[in-house]
Amino acid sequence: MSHHIVQADNLNYTYPDGTIGINNISFKITHGESVALVGANGAGKSTLLLHLNGCLISTQGEISIGDYPLNKKNIKAVRRSVGMVFQNPDDQLFMPTVFDDVAFGPINLGLPENQVEQRVTHALETVGATHLINRPPYKLSGGEKRAVAIATILACSPDILVMDEPSSNLDPLSRRRLIKLLKSFEHTKIIATHDLDMALDVCQRTIVLHKGKITADGPTISIFNDEELLARSGLEKPLGMQECPICKKNNPKNQILFYNKKPR
Amino acid sequence: MHMADALLSPAVGGTMWAATAGLIVYCSKKVREDLDEKKIPLMGVIGAFIFAAQMINFTIPATGSSGHLGGAMILAILLGPYAAFLTMASVLTVQALFFADGGLLALGCNIVNMGFFPCFICYPLIYKTIVKGRLTPKWITTGAIISAIIGLQLGAFSVVLETFFSGISALPFSHFLLLMQPIHLAIGIVEGLTTAAVVIFIWKSRPEILQPSISVVQGPGPDQEYSIKKVFIGFAAAAIIVGCGLSWFASAHPDGLEWAISKTTGMEELGAPQKNLYSSLTAIQEKTAFLPDYGFKTTKENPITDTKKAWPAVDSGTSVSGLVGGLLTLCLAIFIGFIIKRKKTGQTA
Amino acid sequence: MNTIEKNLFDIRYMDTLASKNTSLHRLDPRAKLITTLMFIAMVVSLGKYEISRMIPFIIYPMVMIISAELPFLYLLKKMILVAPFAILIGIFNPLMDTTPLVHLGSVSITGGWISFFSIMMRFSLTVSAALILISMTGFNGVCMALEKMGVPQPFVVQLMFLYRYLFVLIEEGAKMLRARSLRSFDSKGLGFKYFISLLGQLLLQTLDRAQRIHLAMCCRGFDGHIPINRPMKFGYKEIRFVLIWSFIFILTRSYNLPVKIGEIIAGIL
C-alpha cells in the first residue's frame, strides 16, 4: 500500500536557460487519491508532472514515490509504478501498429509472450479499443488515439496514473467517455488539466499552481467556489458551477449538498 | 538527382547496393555503439522533417523557380555523419517505394550519391575544417555553402559515372557531365544557403542543440579521426569492387574510357558527325557488350572491327518475327490477365 | 501547398491498398520482396535493344495488379508523374544513336529509338514493380521483411520511425504552409527570409517532439532496444510463389519467347 504514496518536499526546478519551472513545491498524495493539478498556461503543471517519474530531476528538494526518494538508481522501479499519459498522443504512439505500441511497455518489462498479449488485450478492452488492435496509430481519430495512449500505460499496470491534459482536443462524447473511464480506475491519479469541469467530476482534491508555486491545495469543490483565488491564479469557475447564461438559474453544483449527483 | 532503374545496369546497381549495404551495417553499428538512445526517436523524426521540409519552398528572386532544402548536410550537422547517413538512406528508401523517385535497384546509387558524399566527405573534411568550432554566421555560412556545393558536385558526377558505366543512355559522358554539373552548381548554392540559414536560425534560437556537435568539432579526438579513417577504408573497399567491375569492363573494351576522355576535351569534334557517330556507336556497342546478355564474355578481340558483326547479336536479324511475336506475347499476356480477372470476379460474385 | 497534401494522401492511399486482404496481401512480405528484386534485376539485365524480350515481363505486374485488386489507373498516374527524368535522359538516345537497326519494308528504325523505347519499358516495368510491392505489402511489412532478412536493426527502426512521423510532420508542415499562403498576398512573403524562419520553426518543433517521444519511451521502460520482432511464416505458399515467378523470369530472360512464337507463326504461314 505504502508505495502508492507520492510525496514532494520543497521541489525546485530551473530550466537551463534560467526560467523557473517550479518553485518550492510540497505535497503528499496518498493511495487511491485523485488529484487535479490546475493553473494557467505556463504555471508549471507539465514541469511538475515530468518530475513524478524522473523525466526531469529537480534542482533542489526531492520527490519520493512510495518509500523511496526518486533518484537515478531506482528510476526504473519508479517508472514501473508511475504511468504517464502525455498531452499529445502522437508523442506516445510511436510504433507501427496499436498492438506493437501497447505491447512496447510489457515487452520492456520482460514479460513472456503470452502475458504480453494478455496485457495488451486487457488494456485495450478497458479503454474500449479492442477493434483498433491492428491499425496504425496515424489512422486513428483523436479520441481513439487518446484511448490507445491510455491503454499503453495501463498495459504496464502502474499503481499511479499521471496524465497531462487528458481531455484536450476531444469531442464532447469522447470526453464524457474518458471521464467515465477515469472514474472507473482505482489507481492513484494525478491529472493536470484546464478542464475544470472534468476535474470537478473526477478529482476530490485539487492543487492550484501559479507561476511555479502552489497557491491552494484542498477539496476541489471548495477551491472552485473561491472565486477570488481562481481569478488570482488565472482561472475561472467551472462552467458547471456557473449561473446558466440563458435560464439564469444557478447550477445545483454550486451547493455542496448536490455535488455527488451527475449533471443532467 | 535521383537515378532511375531504367538507366542502370545490374552490375553498377549491384555494386552500389553492396557499397550501401556495407555502409548501412557500419553506420548501424556505430549508432548502436554510440549508446545515445535519445538519437533513436530523433533520427526518425528528423527524417520525417526532411520530407516535410522538402515540400516547403521559397521563390528564388528573378528566376521564377523555387528552391527547397535538400537535407543531407543539415542532417550531418545536427546528427553527426553516421546517424545522418542512416537517416538519409531511410528518406531515400521511402521516396523510392512510395513516389518511385529513383528505383529499388538504383537505391544503392542514390544513397551513395546523396548520402555518402555529404555525410562522409563534405561534412568531416570540408564543413568541419572550415568551421573548426567557430560557430559564427560567417563560418557556418561559408562551411555550409562550400560543403553543399561540393557534395552536390560529387553526387552529380557520380550520377554521370553510374549512368555512363551502365551504358543504357546513349548520351555521351562529356555532354551528360556538362549538363549535370552546372545544374547542380546552382542547386548546390541554394542548398548551401538554406542549410546555412537554418543552422544559424537554430544556433541563434537554441544554441544548446548544436552544442554537442560543437564539442565534437572542437576536439576531434583520436577516436574520431580513427573512425573516419575506417569509413574511408570501407569506401576504399567498395571502390575496389567498383574498380574491379570497371577494369573488367575496361579490359574488354579498352577504348571506352579513352573515347570518353577525348570527347570531353574535344567538344569541337561535334562538327565531324561521321566520326562522332562512329565513335559513339563504338562506345555504345562496347557498353552493351558489358551486359550479361552477352554472358559477360571478356571478348578481347578488337571490338571496333567487330561492331558491324555484333549488331545481329541483337534482335535486328529476326526483327520481323520478333515484332510479330512481341505483339502476340502482349496479346497473350493481356488474355491471361483477362482470364484471371474473370475468375476473380466470378469468385467474389 | 497542394503537392504536400497530395503526397500525404498518396502515402495514405497506398497504405489503404496494402490493408486489403487478398491471397497476395497475405503472403509473407519476404517472398514479395525477393520476387520484386529478382524481377527488377532480370528486367534491367536485358540489353538495351532487346525490346521483344522485355514484353513477356509485363505478365508479372499485370497479374499482380489484377490478383491483388490494385487500381491500375492510379499506379499508371503515379508512374507518369516520375517519368520525366527517364524521358529526359532517354530522349538523347534517338539523337545520338542513328544507326538503322530494324528494317520493316521501307521504314527503318534506328538503334536510338529502339533503346529509347527499351528505356521507357524498363522504366515502366521497374517502377510498377516497386509501386506494386508497396501497395500489396505495406511499408511496415517491407520493414519487417528487411529485419528478418538481416538488415541491421537500427536502420529498420529508423525506417519505421520515419514512416510513423511522416504523417505527423507533413501535416504540421502543411499547416504552416497554409498559414503562410493565407497571409502572403501577391506572393510577397514567399521569400527566403520567411522560408527560413518557417523551416527553422518546424525544425525546432521537430526536435522538441523527438525529446517528448524519448520521454514517452523512457516512461515505458525503454532501454535502447525497440521490439519489432513479429512472427512470420515462410511456408509452402511463399516458396511456391517465389519459385514459380523465378522460373517465369528466368525463362523469359533466357529465351526470346516473342521471337520463338513469331517464328512458329511464320512457319505455319
Side-chain angles (χ1 to χ4, degrees):
Chain A
M1 279 297 149
S2 60
H3 60 262
H4 298 191
I5 292 175
V6 181
Q7 186 165 359
D9 290 314
N10 297 322
L11 221 52
N12 279 286
Y13 185 79
T14 312
Y15 280 96
D17 62 355
T19 322
I20 291 170
I22 47 174
N23 191 355
N24 239 353
I25 294 226
S26 304
F27 58 80
K28 182 176 180 180
I29 295 168
T30 52
H31 173 68
E33 251 190 304
S34 177
V35 179
L37 209 55
V38 300
N41 290 326
K45 299 187 298 291
S46 299
T47 313
L48 179 55
L49 287 193
L50 289 175
H51 278 81
L52 296 179
N53 60 359
C55 287
L56 290 179
I57 300 286
S58 54
T59 31
Q60 215 182 33
E62 74 180 15
I63 192 155
S64 31
I65 308 291
D67 302 326
Y68 308 101
L70 200 164
N71 54 34
K72 290 243 174 201
K73 255 186 237 161
N74 58 18
I75 202 162
K76 283 214 163 154
V78 165
R79 282 181 179 167
R80 207 164 291 182
S81 62
V82 180
M84 172 128 178
V85 181
F86 283 70
Q87 183 172 2
N88 184 347
D90 268 327
D91 294 339
Q92 194 151 10
L93 307 175
F94 44 82
M95 294 292 279
T97 67
V98 167
F99 176 88
D100 287 322
D101 220 302
V102 181
F104 181 84
I107 289 175
N108 283 331
L109 286 174
L111 295 179
E113 214 171 289
N114 57 338
Q115 273 194 47
V116 169
E117 252 169 66
Q118 220 178 321
R119 286 235 186 151
V120 172
T121 356
H122 184 240
L124 286 174
E125 263 169 23
T126 312
V127 301
T130 320
H131 58 293
L132 304 172
I133 190 158
N134 285 322
R135 295 268 291 280
Y138 50 84
K139 284 203 178 155
L140 306 180
S141 72
E144 288 170 338
K145 273 186 192 168
R146 185 84 54 170
V148 174
I150 292 173
T152 65
I153 298 307
L154 292 181
C156 305
S157 60
D159 305 312
I160 300 159
L161 283 179
V162 176
M163 299 191 172
D164 198 352
E165 300 275 4
S167 65
S168 63
N169 293 325
L170 292 185
D171 61 56
L173 210 65
S174 310
R175 175 179 166 272
R176 187 52 62 195
R177 214 176 288 139
L178 174 90
I179 290 174
K180 226 169 134 189
L181 183 69
L182 292 183
K183 277 178 144 176
S184 72
F185 290 157
E186 285 165 6
H187 307 76
T188 304
K189 291 183 285 271
I190 304 171
I191 303 172
T193 187
H194 290 302
D195 183 352
L196 301 191
D197 287 275
M198 180 190 69
L200 198 58
D201 259 4
V202 179
C203 308
Q204 296 85 45
R205 177 177 161 192
T206 293
I207 295 176
V208 184
L209 282 180
H210 186 58
K211 292 188 176 162
K213 282 188 172 168
I214 293 184
T215 47
D217 181 355
T220 305
I221 195 73
S222 58
I223 285 183
F224 288 172
N225 266 323
D226 188 343
E227 284 184 39
E228 192 264 334
L229 165 75
L230 291 177
R232 200 160 19 101
S233 312
L235 300 166
E236 150 184 286
K237 243 187 188 185
L239 293 174
M241 287 171 69
Q242 286 177 17
E243 199 174 68
C244 169
I246 295 162
C247 52
K248 301 284 174 198
K249 267 186 196 158
N250 223 5
N251 196 298
K253 265 199 185 173
N254 247 348
Q255 289 125 43
I256 297 176
L257 278 177
F258 289 93
Y259 166 60
N260 274 331
K261 285 196 179 146
K262 263 191 204 168
R264 236 176 299 163
Chain B
M1 65 179 188
H2 291 77
M3 291 271 296
D5 277 352
L7 302 170
L8 215 57
S9 75
V12 174
T15 314
M16 294 319 240
W17 255 68
T20 307
L23 281 167
I24 285 178
V25 171
Y26 179 72
C27 290
S28 298
K29 211 180 118 220
K30 273 284 165 198
V31 168
R32 208 181 280 156
E33 275 170 13
D34 187 18
L35 279 180
D36 186 4
E37 52 179 53
K38 268 186 198 154
K39 265 196 182 161
I40 294 172
L42 182 62
M43 281 162 64
V45 186
I46 287 206
F49 162 79
I50 294 292
F51 259 91
Q54 287 185 344
M55 289 165 186
I56 301 178
N57 56 354
F58 65 95
T59 47
I60 300 172
T63 58
S65 60
S66 63
H68 65 76
L69 182 76
M73 265 324 284
I74 204 154
L75 287 177
I77 294 170
L78 286 172
L79 298 170
Y82 308 108
F85 180 79
L86 284 188
T87 309
M88 201 61 206
S90 68
V91 168
L92 290 166
T93 308
V94 170
Q95 283 176 341
L97 282 169
F98 283 93
F99 307 117
D101 260 349
L104 287 185
L105 185 74
L107 187 58
C109 297
N110 287 325
I111 292 177
V112 169
N113 300 347
M114 289 184 260
F116 175 80
F117 292 118
C119 295
F120 289 118
I121 305 278
C122 300
Y123 173 69
L125 297 183
I126 299 162
Y127 181 80
K128 270 183 160 181
T129 320
I130 292 174
V131 176
K132 272 192 204 132
R134 296 170 295 192
L135 274 185
T136 58
K138 186 176 119 198
W139 291 112
I140 291 176
T141 312
T142 319
I145 291 179
I146 294 180
S147 50
I149 289 174
I150 295 181
L152 272 148
Q153 288 297 306
L154 287 172
F157 185 63
S158 173
V159 169
V160 175
L161 277 184
E162 284 151 6
T163 312
F164 174 69
F165 286 121
S166 294
I168 307 298
S169 160
L171 194 62
F173 183 77
S174 58
H175 295 190
F176 195 22
L177 199 69
L178 284 172
L179 195 72
M180 289 290 276
Q181 304 303 124
I183 292 176
H184 286 90
L185 181 69
I187 299 175
I189 294 170
V190 173
E191 164 92 21
L193 278 172
T194 42
T195 305
V198 173
V199 173
I200 290 168
F201 183 93
I202 298 293
W203 172 69
K204 277 186 179 155
S205 49
R206 299 267 288 278
E208 76 275 7
I209 289 166
L210 290 171
Q211 220 62 44
S213 49
I214 298 171
S215 61
V216 172
V217 175
Q218 275 171 342
D223 207 34
Q224 193 72 15
E225 294 280 355
Y226 181 60
S227 54
I228 284 167
K229 213 183 274 169
K230 260 161 89 186
V231 173
F232 268 108
I233 294 168
F235 193 68
I240 289 169
I241 300 169
V242 182
C244 286
L246 294 187
S247 61
W248 177 18
F249 160 72
S251 67
H253 319 285
D255 298 353
L257 274 172
E258 243 171 69
W259 166 81
I261 293 159
S262 71
K263 278 301 300 156
T264 324
T265 48
M267 275 296 286
E268 307 83 56
E269 276 183 39
L270 268 174
Q274 278 305 318
K275 198 181 167 216
N276 184 36
L277 174 72
Y278 186 67
S279 52
S280 65
L281 263 180
T282 317
I284 289 156
Q285 200 278 324
E286 282 162 9
K287 278 173 263 159
T288 51
F290 174 54
L291 294 164
D293 182 39
Y294 300 83
F296 288 104
K297 285 179 231 148
T298 39
T299 41
K300 277 218 166 182
E301 322 86 55
N302 227 338
I304 298 171
T305 48
D306 268 4
T307 308
K308 287 282 179 277
K309 263 192 189 166
W311 291 125
V314 196
D315 283 346
S316 71
T318 48
S319 59
V320 176
S321 51
L323 211 70
V324 174
L327 282 174
L328 270 172
T329 321
L330 201 63
C331 294
L332 197 69
I334 291 169
F335 182 64
I336 293 173
F338 185 68
I339 289 182
I340 297 174
K341 183 140 200 173
R342 277 294 287 274
K343 236 177 127 184
K344 266 202 97 82
T345 46
Q347 268 172 4
T348 49
Chain C
M1 186 185 77
N2 222 342
T3 50
I4 184 169
E5 271 152 352
K6 242 184 85 204
N7 272 318
L8 188 64
F9 171 78
D10 257 3
I11 301 180
R12 284 229 165 105
Y13 183 61
M14 286 173 91
D15 220 72
T16 319
L17 290 178
S19 59
K20 281 191 175 175
N21 193 14
T22 70
S23 56
L24 282 174
H25 282 85
R26 284 191 297 269
L27 275 184
D28 186 312
R30 279 173 290 179
K32 291 180 266 188
L33 186 62
I34 294 169
T35 313
T36 307
L37 289 177
M38 190 137 149
F39 173 79
I40 293 176
M42 287 292 175
V43 169
V44 170
S45 74
L46 284 170
K48 68 171 170 180
Y49 297 118
E50 295 181 288
I51 297 188
S52 64
R53 277 193 184 197
M54 242 173 246
I55 294 172
F57 278 103
I58 291 175
I59 192 83
Y60 174 73
M62 210 169 66
V63 169
M64 290 300 122
I65 287 175
I66 293 168
S67 326
E69 295 165 9
L70 303 175
F72 173 69
L73 284 178
Y74 172 76
L75 295 177
L76 189 72
K77 218 167 72 191
K78 284 208 68 128
M79 255 159 64
I80 291 169
L81 270 178
V82 282
F85 181 71
I87 294 176
L88 185 78
I89 303 299
I91 200 67
F92 286 101
N93 283 16
L95 304 176
M96 302 281 172
D97 177 1
T98 50
T99 345
L101 213 57
V102 178
H103 297 277
L104 285 176
S106 57
V107 187
S108 60
I109 302 169
T110 63
W113 279 109
I114 291 187
S115 59
F116 173 68
F117 281 118
S118 106
I119 287 180
M120 292 325 290
M121 271 191 80
R122 284 155 176 273
F123 169 79
S124 351
L125 287 174
T126 51
V127 166
S128 62
L131 291 176
I132 286 167
L133 171 72
I134 201 72
S135 40
M136 67 183 185
T137 316
F139 190 72
N140 290 325
V142 174
C143 288
M144 300 289 173
L146 288 176
E147 209 259 346
K148 290 268 178 201
M149 285 160 74
V151 172
Q153 228 225 5
F155 185 60
V156 178
V157 168
Q158 162 64 17
L159 282 173
M160 288 176 26
F161 261 97
L162 169 67
Y163 189 63
R164 168 70 183 86
Y165 285 99
L166 209 55
F167 298 92
V168 177
L169 280 173
I170 289 182
E171 256 168 23
E172 249 166 46
K175 278 179 208 157
M176 286 184 145
L177 270 184
R178 208 174 301 133
R180 178 180 72 168
S181 70
L182 285 176
R183 285 183 295 154
S184 50
F185 309 101
D186 296 331
S187 344
K188 276 172 199 152
L190 298 178
F192 191 67
K193 202 175 113 198
Y194 304 105
F195 164 75
I196 287 304
S197 59
L198 202 68
L199 212 57
Q201 286 301 343
L202 186 63
L203 183 58
L204 286 182
Q205 280 177 24
T206 307
L207 296 170
D208 285 345
R209 182 182 292 277
Q211 210 175 359
R212 290 197 303 270
I213 296 165
H214 181 243
L215 286 181
M217 289 165 87
C218 287
C219 288
R220 287 191 278 153
F222 172 65
D223 54 0
H225 175 78
I226 305 251
I228 49 171
N229 217 336
R230 191 90 61 79
M232 280 197 206
K233 198 173 144 264
F234 202 91
Y236 168 69
K237 272 188 183 164
E238 281 75 21
I239 295 172
R240 198 180 56 179
F241 181 81
V242 174
L243 282 185
I244 289 180
W245 281 112
S246 319
F247 175 72
I248 294 175
F249 296 157
I250 291 169
L251 192 76
T252 44
R253 173 71 186 75
S254 25
Y255 295 98
N256 195 336
L257 293 179
V259 169
K260 290 265 185 307
I261 295 174
E263 276 167 1
I264 292 168
I265 299 289
I268 293 168
L269 295 177

